[in-house]
C-alpha cells in the first residue's frame, strides 16, 4: 500500500491503494515504469502496451550496507494534493527508545507536530485542539473505542503485528468520517506467502511473539501475534500476607490472506485484548475481593475484486465490541457493573481510474450500534437480577472523492460525504464537503490549502484526563446534537538534497460547535438521563506546525514544532467567558534521531518539551456557618477556569541497540533509558490547605505536584527468524 508507480518519460504516475492495487492508462506502445517504496529496492520495468497489461511487482527490502540508487526518489509529500497526512514509519516505532522497553505506536504519534500528549507517560493524545474522543482509530477498518492498556500508559497496538499507520489531522479524504480531529488508520501485516518468519521479544514487563508464513505458497498466508505482561507475577512477592492482587494485559492479532483468483482476494483479520485487575484480602473467616476487566475485540472480513483494469472494489463486514466490567462483592451480594458499545456493519469502497488524471473513490457504509451505558448484574441472597440500559442506533454514510490532476503543477482532491444517524425518533442527515488543492512552484516545492467539515454523533463522558474503564460512550439524541467542526489549513512543502530532507510548514484554524461538558457533580455512570445533565458549547483552535525530516543516511530522524491555541466557551461555565482547554499547550517541541554506527550498533534518542497543560486551582478560601455555635465549613474560592498552567514538561530518552545476524536468525539487545536526567514532570497537582512551610513552620495553602516516573532504565531482548 502507498507504493508509487511512475512514468519518468511522461512525468506522471499513481500510488497503490490500501490493498496494493493500481491502474494507469497510457497512450504509448512501449513505456518504462518505476516502482518505489521507502525502504525497498526500486524496480524498473519496460512494458509493451499492445493490450491491457496486468503487472504484479514484488519489492525487496534494501540490504544492509551502502546502496546506490540513481534517478529521483519518490516525493509524494510534495506531489500529492493531500495535506495534514503523515505516514508513520513502523521502523520508527521499533527504533526509538520507550518506557519499560515497550515500543508503542501512540507514543511515536505524540512526537509529530499537531499531536499533543496527555498526562506523564501516557499514550493518550490530542490533535489540533480536539478532545480524546475526537480521534477515530481504525484497526483493519474496525473502530477501536478504547485503544489503551494500563489505564492509558500503553496502546493496544503491538508493533510487530502492524504493517502501516496513517495519521490524518486535516484535509480529510471523503471516505473517512465520524470524528472531528483526526483519523488513525492502522493496518495489520498480511502474512508472508513465500516463507515462514517469526519475531518477538522479552522486556521488563511484557513478552511478545509473532509468526507468519504461507498456508499455500503464492496463494494464501497467515499472521498471528500475541503479547502478555507479567506484572501480576512481579508484584506478588511484595504483597502483605493475606492480600492477593493481580494486574496484567494481553492482546492477540491474527490475519489470513487468500488470493482466490487473479481478480479476487479475501482477508480475515481479528483482534482480542483485555486488561485484568483483581485483588483479594483474606482475614480469618472472611475473604473479600473485587476486580475490573476491560477490553476490545474486533473482526473484519474483506473481499477485494478487480472488475476491470480501471475499477477495483473492496467489500468489508466488520464487528467490534468494547466492554468494561467492575465486580464488587458486598456482604451477601455480588454486583457486576458493565458499560460498553458494540458495532455490526459493512462497507463497500470502489477505486475507479477513468484516466491518468482522475482517481475517483466512492462507496458507502452502514453500522448497527448497541450502546450499553450501564448494565448491572448480580445476586442478592441467592436471587439473580439484571438492570440494563441499552440504546440502539443506526448509522450510515455515502461518499465520493476525486483526486484530479489538472496539470503538472496543479491538482485537486474534491470530496463529499453525507452521514446519516437514527436513534429512536431522532434523525440527523448532514453534508460534509472536503477540498484540498496543490500548486507546485517547482519540482521540490508546492503550496497546499484545504477545507473539511466533519460531524460526530458519538460522545465520550469521562471523569478523568486518562483512559479509564469508567469512561462512557453515548450517542446523539434529541437533546445531544451532533458535534461539528470546520477546519481550514494551508502550508508549504519543500524537499532538499534530492528529497532526502522533507520539510513543511502548515497553519490551521478549526471551529467546533455542540461540544459537551457535564455539570459538576454529575453521576455519569448510573444516570439513565445523563443527557439532561450536559452543557453544550463551542470551541476553536489554531496554530502553526513545522516539520523537518531526514529520510536516509546513517542518521535519520525528525524535528517537529507546534505553536497552538485551543479555547472553549460554555454559557454555564466560567460565567460564560472563553477559557483555555485543558490540553491547551502553547509550545510543543519533539526531536528524534537514530544513528547507525555500523551493521551491529545503533543509537536513538527522543527529546520532548511541552508547555504545561491548563488547570483550575483555588485562589483563596472562606468560612461559612454550618449551624450551631462556632461551626463553620471552609469553602475554596476558585479562579477563572484553566487560568493556571502546570510546570513545563521536558524529557530526554536514549536507546542503544546491538544487533547480531546469525545464519538462520537475527537477535538484538537493547538498553532504553527513559527520562535520562530524571526530570520530575507533573502528573497532577493538588491543593493542600494545611501545608506546613518548612522554612517558617507556618501553615498555609499550597499547590502540591505529584510525579510518578523518574529515570527508568530497561534492558530487553528481541529476535527474528
Amino acid at each position: 500500500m502507498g507504493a508509487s508507480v511512475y512514468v519518468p518519460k511522461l512525468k506522471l504516475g499513481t500510488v497503490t491503494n490500501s490493498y496494493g492495487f493500481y491502474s494507469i492508462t497510457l497512450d504509448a506502445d512501449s513505456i518504462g515504469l518505476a516502482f518505489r517504496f521507502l525502504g525497498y529496492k526500486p524496480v524498473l520495468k519496460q512494458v509493451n502496451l499492445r493490450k491491457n497489461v496486468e503487472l504484479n511487482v514484488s519489492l525487496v527490502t534494501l540490504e544492509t550496507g551502502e546502496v546506490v540508487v540513481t534517478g529521483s526518489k519518490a516525493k509524494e509529500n510534495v506531489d500529492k494534493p493531500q495535506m495534514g497526512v503523515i505516514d508513520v514509519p513502523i521502523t520508527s516505532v521499533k527504533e526509538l527508545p520507550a518506557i519499560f522497553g515497550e515500543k508503542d505506536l501512540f507514543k511515536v504519534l505524540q512526537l509529530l507536530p499537531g499531536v499533543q500528549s496527555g498526562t506523564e507517560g501516557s499514550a493518550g493524545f490530542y490533535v489540533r485542539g480536539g478532545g480524546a474522543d475526537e480521534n477515530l482509530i481504525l484497526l483493519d477498518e474496525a473502530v477501536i473505542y478504547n485503544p489503551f492498556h494500563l489505564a492509558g500508559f500503553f496502546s493496544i497496538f503491538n508493533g510487530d503485528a502492524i504493517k502501516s499507520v496513517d495519521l490524518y489531522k486535516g484535509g480529510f479524504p471523503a471516505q473517512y468520517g465520524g470524528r472531528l480531529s483526526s483519523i488513525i488508520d492502522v493496518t495489520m501485516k498480511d502474512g508472508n506467502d513465500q516463507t515462514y518468519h517469526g519475531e518477538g521479544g522479552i522486556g521488563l514487563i511484557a513478552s511478545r511473539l509473532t509468526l507468519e508464513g504461507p498456508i499455500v505458497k503464492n496463494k494464501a498466508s497467515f499472521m498471528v501475534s500475541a503479547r502478555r505482561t507479567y506484572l501480576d507475577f512481579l508484584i506478588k512477592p511484595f504483597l502483605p500476607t493475606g492480600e492477593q492482587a493481580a494486574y496484567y494485559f494481553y492482546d492477540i492479532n491474527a490475519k489470513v490472506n487468500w488470493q482466490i483468483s487473479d481478480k479476487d482476494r479475501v482477508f480475515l483479520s481479528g483482534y482480542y485484548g483485555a486488561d485484568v485487575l483483581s485483588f483479594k484480602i483474606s482475614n480469618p473467616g472472611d475473604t473479600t475481593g473485587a476486580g475490573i476487566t476491560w477490553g476490545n475485540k474486533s473482526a473484519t472480513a474483506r473481499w477485494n475484486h478487480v472488475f476491470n483494469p480501471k475499477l477495483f472494489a473492496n467489500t468489508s463486514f466488520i464487528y467490534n465490541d468494547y466492554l468494561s466490567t467492575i465486580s464488587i462483592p458486598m456482604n451477601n451480594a455480588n454486583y457486576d457493573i458493565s458499560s460498553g458499545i458494540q458495532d455490526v456493519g459493512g462497507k463497500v469502497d470502489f477505486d475507479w481510474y477513468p484516466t491518468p488524471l482522475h482517481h475517483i473513490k466512492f462507496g458507502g457504509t452502514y453500522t448497527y450500534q448497541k450502546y450499553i451505558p450501564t448494565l448491572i448484574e448480580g445476586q442478592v441472597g441467592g436471587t439473580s437480577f439484571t438492570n440494563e440500559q441499552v440504546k440502539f442506533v443506526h448509522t450510515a454514510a455515502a461518499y465520493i472523492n476525486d483526486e484530479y490532476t489538472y496539470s503538472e503543477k496543479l491538482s485537486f482532491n474534491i470530496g463529499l460525504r453525507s452521514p446519516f444517524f437514527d436513534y429512536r425518533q431522532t434523525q440527523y442527515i448532514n453534508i460534509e464537503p472536503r477540498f484540498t488543492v496543490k500548486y507546485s512552484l517547482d519540482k521540490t516545492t508546492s503550496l497546499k490549502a484545504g477545507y473539511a467539515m466533519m460531524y460526530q454523533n458519538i460522545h465520550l463522558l469521562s471523569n478523568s484526563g486518562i483512559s479509564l474503564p469508567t469512561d462512557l460512550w453515548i450517542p446523539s439524541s434529541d437533546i445531544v446534537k451532533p458535534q461539528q467542526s470546520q477546519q481550514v489549513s494551508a502550508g508549504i512543502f519543500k524537499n532538499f538534497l534530492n528529497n532526502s530532507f522533507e520539510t513543511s510548514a502548515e497553519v490551521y484554524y478549526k471551529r467546533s460547535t455542540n461540544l459537551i461538558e457535564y455539570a459538576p457533580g454529575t453521576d455519569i455512570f448510573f444516570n439513565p438521563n445523563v443527557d439532561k445533565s450536559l452543557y453544550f458549547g463551542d470551541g476553536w483552535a489554531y496554530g502553526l506546525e513545522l516539520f523537518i525530516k531526514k529520510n536516509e543516511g546513517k542518521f535519520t530522524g525528525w524535528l517537529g514544532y507546534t505553536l497552538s491555541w485551543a479555547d472553549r466557551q460554555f454559557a454555564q461555565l466560567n460565567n460564560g467567558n472563553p477559557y483555555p482547554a485543558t490540553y491547551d499547550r502553547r509550545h510543543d517541541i519533539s526531536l528524534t534521531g537514530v544513528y547507525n554506527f555500523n551493521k551491529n550498533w545503533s543509537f536513538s534518542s527522543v527529546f520532548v518539551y511541552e508547555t504545561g497543560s491548563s488547570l483550575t486551582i483555588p485562589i483563596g478560601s472562606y468560612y461559612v456557618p454550618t449551624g450551631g455555635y462556632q461551626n463553620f465549613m471552609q469553602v475554596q474560592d476558585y479562579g477563572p477556569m484553566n487560568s493556571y498552567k502546570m510546570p513545563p514538561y521536558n524529557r530526554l530518552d536514549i536507546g542503544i541497540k546491538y544487533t547480531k545476524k546469525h545464519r538462520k536468525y537475527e537477535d538484538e539487545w537493547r538498553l532504553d533509558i527513559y527520562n535520562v536526567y530524571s526530570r520530575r514532570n507533573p502528573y497532577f497537582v493538588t491543593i493542600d490547605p494545611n501545608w506546613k512551610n518548612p522554612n517558617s513552620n507556618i501553615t498555609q495553602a499550597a499547590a502540591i505536584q505529584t510525579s510518578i516516573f523518574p529515570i527508568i532504565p530497561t534492558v530487553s531482548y528481541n529476535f527474528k527468524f
Side-chain angles (χ1 to χ4, degrees):
M1 60 189 300
S4 67
V5 182
Y6 187 68
V7 186
K9 183 178 179 180
L10 302 179
K11 296 182 179 180
L12 58 84
T14 187
V15 176
T16 61
N17 69 5
S18 299
Y19 302 93
F21 176 84
Y22 70 95
S23 177
I24 186 167
T25 303
L26 304 171
D27 185 15
D29 293 332
S30 179
I31 202 74
L33 296 175
F35 300 85
R36 297 187 178 95
F37 189 77
L38 185 63
Y40 288 76
K41 291 181 180 179
V43 173
L44 303 178
K45 294 275 189 180
Q46 192 72 19
V47 181
N48 294 318
L49 296 177
R50 296 183 180 88
K51 61 179 181 179
N52 289 334
V53 174
E54 182 180 290
L55 183 59
N56 296 317
V57 177
S58 296
L59 300 182
V60 179
T61 55
L62 293 172
E63 297 290 336
T64 303
E66 185 178 10
V67 176
V68 178
V69 179
T70 59
S72 60
K73 293 183 293 296
K75 47 187 176 67
E76 282 83 7
N77 63 310
V78 172
D79 293 338
K80 298 282 289 182
Q82 200 66 53
M83 65 180 305
V85 181
I86 298 179
D87 179 9
V88 182
I90 298 300
T91 53
S92 297
V93 177
K94 296 184 177 183
E95 289 290 340
L96 296 178
I99 186 171
F100 300 121
E102 275 298 295
K103 310 305 175 186
D104 197 286
L105 166 63
F106 281 8
K107 287 189 171 69
V108 174
L109 291 179
Q110 293 173 356
L111 303 174
L112 300 172
V115 182
Q116 296 175 327
S117 62
T119 56
E120 155 76 354
S122 78
F125 59 93
Y126 306 94
V127 179
R128 289 188 172 178
D133 64 323
E134 296 178 18
N135 303 314
L136 176 62
I137 300 166
L138 302 171
L139 177 61
D140 272 7
E141 301 182 355
V143 178
I144 301 297
Y145 289 102
N146 188 336
F148 301 109
H149 286 308
L150 195 59
F153 288 112
F154 298 103
S155 77
I156 66 169
F157 298 106
N158 180 352
D160 292 346
I162 301 304
K163 174 183 177 182
S164 66
V165 182
D166 289 317
L167 166 66
Y168 297 83
K169 52 185 179 175
F172 305 100
Q175 65 265 31
Y176 296 108
R179 297 292 194 277
L180 301 187
S181 291
S182 76
I183 313 294
I184 296 92
D185 193 353
V186 182
T187 304
M188 291 188 211
K189 289 180 178 177
D190 294 330
N192 192 312
D193 64 0
Q194 300 296 314
T195 58
Y196 293 97
H197 291 280
E199 60 181 310
I202 301 171
L204 182 63
I205 64 170
S207 292
R208 63 193 188 279
L209 177 64
T210 300
L211 300 173
E212 59 178 322
I215 300 174
V216 178
K217 195 169 183 178
N218 297 319
K219 297 288 289 184
S221 62
F222 75 93
M223 186 280 298
V224 61
S225 183
R227 176 176 59 166
R228 191 195 191 277
T229 61
Y230 21 78
L231 291 171
D232 46 336
F233 300 109
L234 295 176
I235 65 174
K236 184 176 287 189
F238 302 98
L239 295 174
T241 303
E243 292 188 15
Q244 301 178 38
Y247 173 77
Y248 61 92
F249 67 76
Y250 62 90
D251 41 46
I252 300 171
N253 298 75
K255 192 169 186 177
V256 174
N257 168 16
W258 180 25
Q259 184 173 342
I260 301 174
S261 68
D262 291 340
K263 295 185 179 296
D264 297 279
R265 184 184 291 267
V266 173
F267 300 85
L268 300 174
S269 59
Y271 169 85
Y272 183 77
D275 288 60
V276 179
L277 171 64
S278 63
F279 62 88
K280 290 183 180 180
I281 301 176
S282 298
N283 297 311
D286 181 32
T287 299
T288 60
I292 306 175
T293 302
W294 69 97
N296 301 271
K297 52 187 175 183
S298 69
T300 306
R302 287 175 289 178
W303 169 42
N304 291 176
H305 179 68
V306 180
F307 287 95
N308 57 55
K310 295 185 178 183
L311 183 61
F312 171 91
N314 173 67
T315 304
S316 301
F317 298 94
I318 304 166
Y319 168 82
N320 54 277
D321 181 10
Y322 168 68
L323 185 69
S324 68
T325 301
I326 302 175
S327 300
I328 305 174
M330 298 178 62
N331 298 324
N332 294 324
N334 291 291
Y335 297 91
D336 286 338
I337 305 170
S338 302
S339 175
I341 183 171
Q342 298 175 358
D343 292 349
V344 178
K347 62 193 291 282
V348 59
D349 302 292
F350 294 91
D351 287 85
W352 181 35
Y353 304 81
T355 74
L357 303 180
H358 290 272
H359 174 196
I360 299 175
K361 286 185 69 76
F362 60 96
T365 179
Y366 166 79
T367 305
Y368 177 71
Q369 296 181 301
K370 178 182 179 181
Y371 289 79
I372 310 173
T374 306
L375 167 62
I376 304 176
E377 300 175 296
Q379 288 186 340
V380 179
T383 302
S384 300
F385 69 91
T386 299
N387 183 1
E388 183 178 29
Q389 302 173 24
V390 181
K391 299 181 179 182
F392 298 102
V393 173
H394 301 269
T395 64
Y399 75 89
I400 184 169
N401 194 92
D402 183 11
E403 186 174 310
Y404 171 51
T405 303
Y406 178 78
S407 67
E408 187 177 348
K409 289 183 173 293
L410 187 62
S411 59
F412 304 89
N413 199 315
I414 306 169
L416 190 68
R417 181 182 179 86
S418 179
F420 168 79
F421 174 88
D422 177 74
Y423 169 56
R424 292 181 176 174
Q425 303 302 315
T426 302
Q427 296 181 343
Y428 297 106
I429 302 176
N430 296 299
I431 300 296
E432 301 175 343
R434 319 280 177 86
F435 176 82
T436 59
V437 59
K438 183 270 300 183
Y439 181 79
S440 297
L441 299 178
D442 54 47
K443 292 183 178 180
T444 61
T445 311
S446 64
L447 301 176
K448 300 182 185 182
Y451 167 83
M453 179 182 289
M454 309 285 279
Y455 283 89
Q456 181 170 327
N457 284 297
I458 183 171
H459 318 279
L460 181 66
L461 303 182
S462 175
N463 283 312
S464 170
I466 61 176
S467 178
L468 294 175
T470 53
D471 295 347
L472 299 184
W473 290 98
I474 64 169
S476 294
S477 64
D478 56 336
I479 299 174
V480 183
K481 302 295 191 289
Q483 300 178 75
Q484 186 229 49
S485 74
Q486 298 185 70
Q487 182 179 157
V488 293
S489 54
I492 181 170
F493 297 77
K494 173 71 175 178
N495 288 0
F496 295 93
L497 299 178
N498 196 24
N499 300 310
S500 60
F501 280 87
E502 298 179 10
T503 67
S504 64
E506 293 186 57
V507 294
Y508 67 91
Y509 178 84
K510 181 170 67 176
R511 181 71 189 222
S512 303
T513 58
N514 296 328
L515 300 180
I516 292 177
E517 295 283 0
Y518 53 87
T522 298
D523 179 4
I524 65 172
F525 203 65
F526 296 100
N527 188 348
N529 299 308
V530 70
D531 295 14
K532 299 179 180 179
S533 302
L534 301 177
Y535 297 153
F536 305 97
D538 300 330
W540 53 93
Y542 51 95
L544 164 70
E545 299 169 2
L546 304 177
F547 191 49
I548 303 173
K549 181 181 179 184
K550 187 175 185 295
N551 290 320
E552 60 180 35
K554 284 194 170 185
F555 175 77
T556 58
W558 68 78
L559 169 65
Y561 170 71
T562 304
L563 172 68
S564 63
W565 289 260
D567 297 294
R568 291 192 165 198
Q569 186 173 23
F570 288 74
Q572 301 90 339
L573 299 175
N574 201 43
N575 296 319
N577 297 316
Y579 61 91
T582 303
Y583 36 84
D584 172 68
R585 289 191 171 114
R586 197 67 63 242
H587 304 282
D588 191 320
I589 301 173
S590 298
L591 177 62
T592 75
V594 177
Y595 186 81
N596 294 294
F597 292 96
N598 51 48
K599 64 180 181 180
N600 298 118
W601 290 94
S602 67
F603 174 84
S604 59
S605 65
V606 170
F607 175 76
V608 177
Y609 174 88
E610 298 172 345
T611 302
S613 57
S614 304
L615 74 161
T616 306
I617 63 173
I619 58 175
S621 64
Y622 56 91
Y623 291 88
V624 297
T626 59
Y629 179 69
Q630 292 184 339
N631 291 325
F632 293 89
M633 178 178 65
Q634 186 180 21
V635 178
Q636 303 292 340
D637 181 17
Y638 287 87
M641 286 191 66
N642 292 340
S643 56
Y644 286 83
K645 291 286 187 182
M646 296 178 77
Y649 179 98
N650 61 86
R651 189 189 81 242
L652 173 67
D653 308 332
I654 62 173
I656 301 173
K657 182 180 73 171
Y658 174 76
T659 304
K660 180 69 173 178
K661 285 191 175 183
H662 305 273
R663 190 168 65 90
K664 291 187 177 181
Y665 69 97
E666 174 185 314
D667 60 358
E668 68 177 34
W669 287 93
R670 289 193 61 102
L671 171 63
D672 291 321
I673 303 178
Y674 179 88
N675 197 4
V676 171
Y677 46 84
S678 203
R679 159 83 175 181
R680 306 300 288 175
N681 286 302
Y683 186 63
F684 59 83
V685 172
T686 56
I687 303 300
D688 183 356
N690 300 309
W691 179 75
K692 280 193 175 182
N693 190 321
N695 297 321
S696 62
N697 205 30
I698 297 176
T699 299
Q700 63 188 77
I704 307 299
Q705 173 184 304
T706 299
S707 303
I708 60 173
F709 288 124
I711 181 173
I712 301 177
T714 304
V715 176
S716 58
Y717 172 76
N718 302 306
F719 57 87
K720 295 180 181 179
F721 59 88

